[in-house]
Amino acid sequence: MPTSSSGPLLLLDGASLWFRAFFAIPEKITAPDGRPVNALRGFTDMVAALITRHRPSRLVVCLDLDWRPQFRVALVPSYKAHRLATADDAAPGAEQVPDTLTPQVEMIAEVLAAAGIATAGAEGYEADDVIATLATAEHADEVVVVSGDRDLLQLVRADPPPVRVFYVGRGLAKAELYGPAEVAAKYGVPQVNAGPAYADMATLRGDASDGLPGVAGIGDKSAATLISRFGTLEALMAAAADPGSEMARGVRAKLIAAQDYLTAAARVVRVERRAEVQVSGTDRLPAGPVDPGRLSVLAQAYNAESPISRLTTALAGVAPQA
């Protein structure tokens, strides 16, 4: 249960949501000047729907100020390497992002500022690290993390204030709310330490979407079984190194062969919980736009009157918190 009488702290994985909005809505939807606004409209509608559903007292949209941090690349060079832009005019280290999405991120930032919704980022870190830092530091309200990235399931906790993940990987209509019990049931890891256990399991199995190969011959089920049996990745590797432990010879050989990789990958997969996060302003959710005149101008300029109206209605529908 939340440790305060207010609504939860809602932490949104900004890029995860506007990427999904961009690909879910046709680019033919444009502003009066012809610029695509599909991501802007979809993202704004998502935020309105999330506010209506979760009724948060506080909300922060978390940003990727470095989508591929050097400290992770130094540990595992293949980390997200397949997402690097290859165009001749691309900046070094740039991510593959549709040309018509990048300008919309700036539009989204304008709408959020006019609405009075806080954003947060940390130089040299991903949005996952920003979310992890804010969630770990929270001592008052229940935390609900919204993302399409399963890596953030490692943040779930039952201890007050609890942290749950609203996973939107299949869209808002099919979104699932995960706490420790749900993570344990879905992925076969121990409920008592479901968050950290999920990170350990993910390290073992790898993640092709992030350029992490994992341990050859170990998939989801075998990774979960090993973590359930030994408790942590560290205990598992200690058992692999102990000739007297009861571990199948084939599994031991796989783990020993991957020892260097696992040592590095564990630090890549685990989110940073002590990033120096900068928040744009108060995270308290306003009962209405802080700059309604500016928001009205943006709504017309970006052909977003309907989604911005729904956002304004959602803000008004959240009872003011003491």
Side-chain angles (χ1 to χ4, degrees):
M1 296 294 290
T3 57
S4 77
S5 58
S6 63
L9 166 61
L10 205 59
L11 300 176
L12 309 189
D13 184 349
S16 175
L17 297 185
W18 60 61
F19 262 94
R20 292 176 191 285
F22 177 83
F23 289 108
I25 298 175
E27 284 190 72
K28 66 182 181 181
I29 300 177
T30 64
D33 62 7
R35 287 180 293 173
V37 292
N38 52 326
L40 165 67
R41 290 177 59 97
F43 178 84
T44 303
D45 268 334
M46 283 184 185
V47 175
L50 290 166
I51 291 171
T52 300
R53 174 159 184 162
H54 295 283
R55 299 184 64 81
S57 60
R58 298 152 60 204
L59 188 152
V60 182
V61 176
C62 300
L63 310 175
D64 273 323
L65 296 191
D66 190 338
W67 70 281
R68 190 173 181 250
Q70 183 56 40
F71 76 91
R72 289 193 167 102
V73 175
L75 290 164
V76 180
S78 63
Y79 181 63
K80 294 185 177 180
H82 60 296
R83 301 189 201 175
L84 288 169
T86 56
D88 292 339
D89 58 349
E95 184 181 14
Q96 288 180 338
V97 178
D99 292 340
T100 52
L101 173 57
T102 299
Q104 294 189 65
V105 174
E106 298 174 8
M107 297 177 189
I108 288 169
E110 291 181 284
V111 169
L112 291 174
I117 294 175
T119 58
E123 292 293 336
Y125 291 96
E126 301 176 60
D128 287 10
D129 304 308
V130 176
I131 291 169
T133 296
L134 295 176
T136 302
E138 181 59 33
H139 297 295
D141 297 322
E142 174 187 3
V143 178
V144 176
V145 172
V146 181
S147 178
D149 185 351
R150 285 192 178 90
D151 285 345
L152 287 167
L153 293 175
Q154 65 185 280
L155 294 177
V156 298
R157 73 180 184 220
D159 296 337
V163 177
R164 295 185 292 171
V165 173
F166 194 57
Y167 177 68
V168 297
R170 298 190 299 158
L172 278 183
K174 297 181 179 179
E176 300 170 279
L177 189 60
Y178 284 90
E182 291 77 17
V183 171
K186 177 78 172 181
Y187 295 100
V189 296
Q191 182 172 334
V192 66
N193 66 327
Y198 180 87
D200 287 346
M201 181 200 72
T203 302
L204 283 172
R205 75 171 184 205
D207 185 345
S209 68
D210 279 340
L212 300 172
V215 178
I218 293 183
D220 288 357
K221 291 185 178 179
S222 53
T225 298
L226 288 169
I227 295 302
S228 294
R229 179 180 175 187
F230 292 95
T232 66
L233 182 60
E234 288 76 13
L236 173 64
M237 295 308 295
D242 178 7
S245 67
E246 295 182 359
M247 180 180 287
R249 181 180 302 175
V251 172
R252 187 190 306 276
K254 292 174 184 176
L255 293 174
I256 291 176
Q259 183 171 2
D260 290 345
Y261 167 78
L262 288 171
T263 299
R267 295 171 60 193
V268 172
V269 172
R270 292 170 185 167
V271 287
E272 173 58 56
R273 297 171 182 261
R274 294 178 295 178
E276 294 186 9
V277 175
Q278 299 294 319
V279 184
S280 64
T282 178
D283 63 5
R284 185 65 56 177
L285 200 62
V290 297
D291 191 343
R294 175 62 176 160
L295 193 60
S296 178
V297 169
L298 293 173
Q300 295 180 32
Y302 296 151
N303 184 25
E305 290 95 337
S306 294
I308 285 178
S309 175
R310 286 188 283 272
L311 176 61
T312 301
T313 299
L315 290 174
V318 178
Q321 304 295 328

